[in-house]
């Protein structure tokens, strides 16, 4: 749910506070008023969901001192300063310190509303950007989309955080269905360009002239901006970079060179060549390839992610069960082994399809996961991979999945989980510690 934006109004004159508050409330804003800067500072912090309107001349801490204090707490908090007649030089100084804008008394109420809208829009972008960065680093929404506890996924998250903070261009490759576009979004979300333009353009399925116009322009009237202009100061993601014709590769390289360092607009190139037995290095101009591949992320195929497969299957089957209003399928030890051994040529995208169909089968009370895996693979191909794994790995993966599912179902009730799994408390605690499961995650 989108968080409602507020306007904090600080003025020592009660009539002024009330009139500004009433006008902004009529304009649809949620307002709160403070008689002094000191009182306001008790409420305003780095996570304040809105903007500030403050008078400059106030007893005690004046507006300039208040502004400087707010900027030290959160330099991205939009502050609109109200000045008296003749205080324009002071207002200019406030802008230099970091104020969003200023209004001179007597001010036009419509102008106040216009500035409040712009300030709260700016604040929402800032808070959304921070939330995305926090999500990737502390395990909330965006991080949960990068599901997995395997070493390769831990390393992927570290790479995203590291390269996201860097300013160079990036090349992402990996098999189809591994989540390359999601990783591109994550790179943008944790970098300095978060909150700025994020533009996606596929280089496949267009003829050279149409692609050149979409990328560099000119675009017919009413068709919007070319992608490089639209993404200015932000991130441009070029999917299927291997499909970019040689002449356009040369133009893109020239454009990248003209930007200098650091790049004004970041290019994130996505390649889908792996399953064809080729690499980007085989098809791109060497100078363009090395500019893009200086920072490179290769996504792991699902078959190399071990028990992440069961974690992902549980996650998506529970999502679909909620969507269809039925129970998620219970996975037996044999089915868990089959999921772990399947080759998954379509990777996560294929697993999502299997999870949805498993939920629909379970709702009807027919079918098995093995039959779904067989249907998803080529008729002549075996369902199982040829890579053998120790029995212990399958047992532990199934055990972790079983405890995880049971904890979710009972919302972290240790007693209920002990009863259902017939485990003494000490054994359950030891196994949860072994598999990195924490009761607090299920409450």
């Amino acid at each position: 749910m989108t968080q409602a934006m507020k306007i904090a109004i600080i003025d020592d004159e009660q009539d002024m506070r009330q009139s500004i508050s009433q006008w902004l409330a009529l304009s649809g804003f949620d307002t709160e008023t403070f008689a002094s800067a000191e009182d306001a500072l008790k409420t305003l912090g780095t996570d304040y969901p809105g903007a500030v309107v403050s008078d400059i001349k106030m007893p005690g801490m004046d507006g300039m001192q208040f502004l400087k204090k707010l900027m030290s707490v959160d330099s991205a908090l939009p502050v609109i300063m109200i000045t008296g007649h003749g205080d324009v030089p002071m207002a200019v100084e406030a802008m230099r310190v970091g104020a969003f804008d200023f209004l001179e008394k007597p001010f036009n109420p419509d102008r106040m509303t216009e500035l409040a809208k712009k300030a709260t829009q700016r604040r929402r972008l800032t808070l959304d950007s921070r939330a995305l960065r926090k999500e990737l680093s502390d395990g909330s929404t965006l991080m949960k989309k990068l599901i997995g506890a395997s070493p390769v996924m831990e390393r992927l998250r570290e790479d995203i955080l590291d390269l996201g903070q860097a300013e160079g261009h990036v090349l992402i490759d990996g098999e189809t269905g591994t989540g390359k576009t999601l990783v591109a979004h994550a790179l943008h979300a944790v970098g300095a360009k978060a909150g700025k333009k994020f533009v996606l353009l596929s280089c496949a399925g267009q003829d050279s002239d149409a692609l050149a116009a979409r990328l560099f322009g000119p675009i017919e009237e009413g068709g919007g901006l070319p992608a490089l202009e639209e993404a200015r100061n932000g991130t441009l993601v070029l999917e299927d970079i291997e499909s970019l014709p040689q002449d356009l590769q040369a133009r893109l390289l020239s454009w990248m060179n003209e930007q200098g360092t650091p790049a004004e607009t970041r290019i994130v190139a996505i390649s889908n060549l792996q399953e064809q037995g080729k690499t980007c290095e085989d098809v791109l101009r060497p100078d363009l390839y090395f500019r893009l591949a200086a920072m490179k992320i290769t996504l792991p195929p699902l078959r190399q992610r071990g028990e992440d497969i069961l974690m992902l299957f549980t996650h998506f089957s529970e999502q679909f069960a909620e969507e269809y209003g039925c129970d998620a399928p219970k996975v037996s030890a044999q089915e868990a082994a089959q999921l772990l051994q399947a080759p998954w040529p379509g990777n996560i995208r294929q697993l999502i399809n299997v999870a949805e169909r498993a939920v629909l089968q379970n709702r009807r009370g027919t079918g098995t996961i093995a039959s779904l895996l067989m249907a998803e693979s080529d008729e002549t191909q075996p369902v199982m991979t040829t890579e053998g794994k120790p029995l212990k790995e399958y047992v532990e993966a199934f055990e972790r999945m079983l405890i995880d599912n049971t904890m979710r179902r009972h919302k972290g009730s240790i007693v209920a989980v002990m009863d259902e799994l017939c485990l003494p408390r000490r054994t359950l605690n030891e196994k949860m510690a072994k598999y990195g499961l924490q009761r607090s995650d299920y409450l």
Side-chain angles (χ1 to χ4, degrees):
M1 183 180 293
T2 303
Q3 188 175 27
M5 290 285 105
K6 294 182 178 181
I7 300 287
I9 302 160
I10 299 90
D11 198 305
D12 61 303
E13 296 182 13
Q14 183 177 2
D15 289 347
M16 180 62 72
R17 289 197 308 273
Q18 288 182 343
S19 63
I20 295 174
S21 176
Q22 288 171 359
W23 177 258
L24 290 178
L26 288 172
S27 300
F29 291 97
D30 181 8
T31 64
E32 51 187 338
T33 61
F34 302 91
S36 69
E38 291 86 351
D39 285 346
L41 286 172
K42 297 173 184 176
T43 297
L44 302 176
T46 55
D47 295 324
Y48 185 72
V52 176
V53 174
S54 174
D55 195 8
I56 282 188
K57 291 191 175 180
M58 295 184 292
M61 181 183 291
D62 66 22
M64 287 299 295
Q65 294 172 316
F66 178 49
L67 175 63
K68 290 174 182 177
K69 181 66 176 177
L70 286 178
M71 292 301 97
S72 69
V73 172
D74 184 353
S75 61
L77 181 63
V79 181
I80 300 167
M81 306 299 295
I82 298 176
T83 71
H85 181 67
D87 288 336
V88 172
M90 189 179 294
V92 172
E93 172 64 12
M95 296 287 286
R96 188 191 67 79
V97 171
F100 180 78
D101 212 325
F102 69 92
L103 286 167
E104 186 179 4
K105 297 177 184 176
F107 54 82
N108 183 332
D110 290 329
R111 175 62 177 159
M112 167 73 77
T113 301
E114 180 187 348
L115 283 180
K117 286 180 179 178
K118 289 181 178 178
T120 51
Q121 286 170 356
R122 166 90 62 88
R123 186 58 171 171
R124 187 180 300 284
L125 283 175
T126 298
L127 294 180
D128 287 349
S129 171
R130 288 177 182 172
L132 287 173
R133 291 169 64 89
K134 183 179 179 184
E135 285 161 4
L136 191 60
S137 60
D138 74 359
S140 7
T141 307
L142 186 55
M143 180 61 103
K144 288 178 181 176
K145 293 181 181 179
L146 295 164
I147 297 167
S150 60
V152 289
M153 286 303 291
E154 294 287 355
R155 192 158 55 250
L156 174 62
R157 284 189 284 265
E158 290 172 4
D159 287 345
I160 290 170
L161 288 168
D162 289 342
L163 299 190
Q165 295 299 315
E167 296 179 320
H169 308 299
V170 181
L171 175 64
I172 303 173
D173 68 0
E175 296 179 8
T176 296
T178 49
K180 296 185 289 293
T181 303
L182 173 61
V183 169
H185 277 280
L187 282 169
H188 177 76
V190 300
K193 299 184 185 301
K196 297 183 180 178
K197 280 285 187 176
F198 180 90
V199 179
L200 272 168
L201 174 64
S202 175
C203 300
Q206 303 183 61
D207 63 46
S208 182
D209 290 342
L211 183 56
R214 180 67 186 91
L215 187 55
F216 300 100
I219 291 180
E220 294 181 3
E221 186 176 349
L225 295 172
L228 288 173
E229 183 62 31
E230 184 182 355
R232 183 184 290 275
N233 295 317
T235 300
L236 173 61
V237 179
L238 296 176
E239 295 183 311
D240 305 294
I241 187 68
E242 66 275 4
S243 299
L244 191 66
Q246 287 286 322
D247 61 326
L248 298 189
Q249 290 182 33
R251 289 183 65 180
L252 178 63
L253 181 64
S254 296
W255 176 86
M256 292 167 69
N257 290 335
E258 289 169 4
Q259 283 202 109
T261 305
E264 180 183 40
T265 303
R266 187 178 210 182
I267 300 294
V268 176
I270 295 178
S271 168
N272 288 299
L273 277 174
Q274 273 201 3
E275 52 267 40
Q276 300 175 26
K278 296 180 180 179
T279 68
C280 255
E281 193 170 3
D282 299 323
V283 297
L284 292 183
R285 293 170 52 107
D287 41 9
L288 177 60
Y289 171 78
F290 288 114
R291 282 295 301 274
L292 293 171
M295 296 184 186
K296 184 178 179 183
I297 294 178
T298 298
L299 270 63
L302 186 58
R303 61 183 172 276
Q304 293 179 3
R305 292 177 52 183
E307 69 176 67
D308 284 357
I309 294 168
L310 297 183
M311 193 182 301
L312 286 159
F313 183 82
T314 297
H315 171 76
F316 289 116
S317 60
E318 287 180 349
Q319 278 193 343
F320 285 120
E322 184 175 350
E323 180 180 337
Y324 290 116
C326 60
D327 292 332
K330 291 184 178 180
V331 180
S332 68
Q334 181 181 3
E335 289 172 327
Q338 290 167 340
L339 287 167
L340 288 167
Q341 289 179 291
W344 299 112
N347 293 291
I348 298 172
R349 197 174 299 155
Q350 180 188 6
L351 182 142
I352 292 172
N353 291 337
V354 171
E356 181 173 18
R357 292 173 65 187
V359 169
L360 293 173
Q361 278 190 167
N362 191 59
R363 185 171 66 170
R364 294 194 305 267
T366 60
T368 64
I369 290 174
S371 65
L372 291 175
L373 292 173
M374 185 68 75
E376 286 283 324
S377 65
D378 291 337
E379 291 182 9
T380 57
Q381 288 184 344
V383 175
M384 306 306 170
T385 64
T386 56
E387 300 174 6
K389 294 182 181 179
L391 176 63
K392 182 172 179 289
E393 286 190 23
Y394 292 127
V395 172
E396 289 181 347
F398 174 70
E399 194 171 63
R400 186 192 188 283
M401 181 197 70
L402 191 60
I403 295 173
D404 178 52
N405 288 351
T406 311
M407 288 291 290
R408 288 179 190 280
R409 195 162 56 254
H410 292 295
K411 297 181 171 55
S413 170
I414 295 293
V415 173
V417 173
M418 287 165 51
D419 288 345
E420 181 170 332
L421 300 181
C422 299
L423 288 174
R425 182 159 196 143
R426 180 177 177 181
T427 303
L428 178 60
N429 289 342
E430 288 174 350
K431 290 186 180 296
M432 288 182 67
K434 176 181 178 181
Y435 300 130
L437 303 175
Q438 298 183 6
R439 180 172 176 265
S440 58
D441 293 335
Y442 303 96
L443 298 177

